[in-house]
Amino acid sequence: MIGNWSGTVRRALRSPSAPVTYGLIALCCLVFLIGPGSGLDPAYGTGDELLAAQRAYFRRWGVVPAELFEGAPRAALTPATALFVHGSWVHLLGNMIFLYVFGALTEERMGRVEFTLFYLGCGYLALLGYAAANAESSQSLVGASGAISAVLGAFLYLFPRARVTSLLPFLFFLPLRFPAWVVLPFWAALQWVAAGQAAQGPGVAYLAHLVGFGLGLGYAWARFGRRTTGVVPDSGAG
């Protein structure tokens, strides 16, 4: 049984059984590559010209809390468009790795349509919650981390014993494998601490991470109840 479960995890990560997850990754990468954030398109210029283009781009497609609650129809769409915009290569790669690792199995469990609506809905609400807590801010917020945090929350409920490889700085970045019920609550606790220390307004959207994580965990609990499949000991996560 252990071997079968490990094989299921690997197939979910390496086979085309999660087209929505892989499609989201491809779309986010494409949007980043053709936008000014990547710095690859010479049409956006260089130096100060590129920085100005990036600021304008993020303000147009990202969430600006001060504008969101003014009632403008365009601003109401930004919590959805911001999910596909990233600010840097590190921002993009970090989010896409998390989506790749945790999204495939979650999609396989929910189904394609439900997972798509779950991802977009929770991502929208996570960014909306962050904007509400920083309603006077004029800084733009972009990134898929709110939606991906919801995926992490759902994964924790659905597959609590699936083992996740983690790199811990205080252990010299040794790759260690822990159950999801250890890794993901620890990650959520770090977001909570960081959000409490972010007293000067927007920066990294730790609050959006927490809102998304809570939404994902709550949705999985309400939707699936005790019908989870991730209760097999010593399972593998790729």
Side-chain angles (χ1 to χ4, degrees), residues 96-191:
M96 295 304 101
I97 289 172
F98 271 83
L99 181 56
Y100 174 77
V101 171
F102 296 101
L105 272 178
T106 307
E107 176 186 345
E108 191 172 80
R109 183 71 174 88
M110 290 184 177
R112 298 174 185 178
V113 174
E114 182 177 353
F115 179 78
T116 302
L117 296 176
F118 164 81
Y119 182 91
L120 296 176
C122 289
Y124 187 101
L125 292 175
L127 294 181
L128 187 64
Y130 178 85
N134 298 275
E136 298 181 357
S137 173
S138 59
Q139 295 190 32
S140 56
L141 173 67
V142 298
S145 55
I148 295 171
S149 296
V151 173
L152 298 186
F155 186 96
L156 172 61
Y157 186 84
L158 295 172
F159 309 102
R161 297 187 185 178
R163 291 189 174 271
V164 179
T165 300
S166 304
L167 300 176
L168 302 179
F170 54 85
L171 292 179
F172 305 102
F173 293 96
L174 293 175
L176 302 175
R177 292 169 67 80
F178 298 99
W181 67 265
V182 172
V183 175
L184 296 181
F186 179 73
W187 173 87
L190 291 179
Q191 307 308 302

Side-chain angles (χ1 to χ4, degrees), residues 32-143:
F32 180 76
L33 290 174
I34 65 177
S38 67
L40 297 178
D41 190 342
Y44 291 109
T46 59
D48 291 340
E49 186 180 5
L50 177 60
L51 291 176
Q54 290 174 347
R55 286 193 294 267
Y57 183 80
F58 297 149
R59 192 169 189 87
R60 178 179 181 183
W61 299 110
V63 177
V64 180
E67 297 177 359
L68 180 61
F69 297 106
E70 292 178 352
R74 188 199 66 81
L77 295 176
T78 56
T81 59
L83 295 176
F84 302 95
V85 179
H86 291 82
S88 67
W89 286 94
V90 172
H91 188 201
L92 173 73
L93 293 176
N95 275 347
M96 295 304 101
I97 289 172
F98 271 83
L99 181 56
Y100 174 77
V101 171
F102 296 101
L105 272 178
T106 307
E107 176 186 345
E108 191 172 80
R109 183 71 174 88
M110 290 184 177
R112 298 174 185 178
V113 174
E114 182 177 353
F115 179 78
T116 302
L117 296 176
F118 164 81
Y119 182 91
L120 296 176
C122 289
Y124 187 101
L125 292 175
L127 294 181
L128 187 64
Y130 178 85
N134 298 275
E136 298 181 357
S137 173
S138 59
Q139 295 190 32
S140 56
L141 173 67
V142 298

Side-chain angles (χ1 to χ4, degrees), residues 191-209:
Q191 307 308 302
W192 178 272
V193 172
Q197 294 176 347
Q200 298 182 354
V204 177
Y206 296 111
L207 181 58
H209 299 174

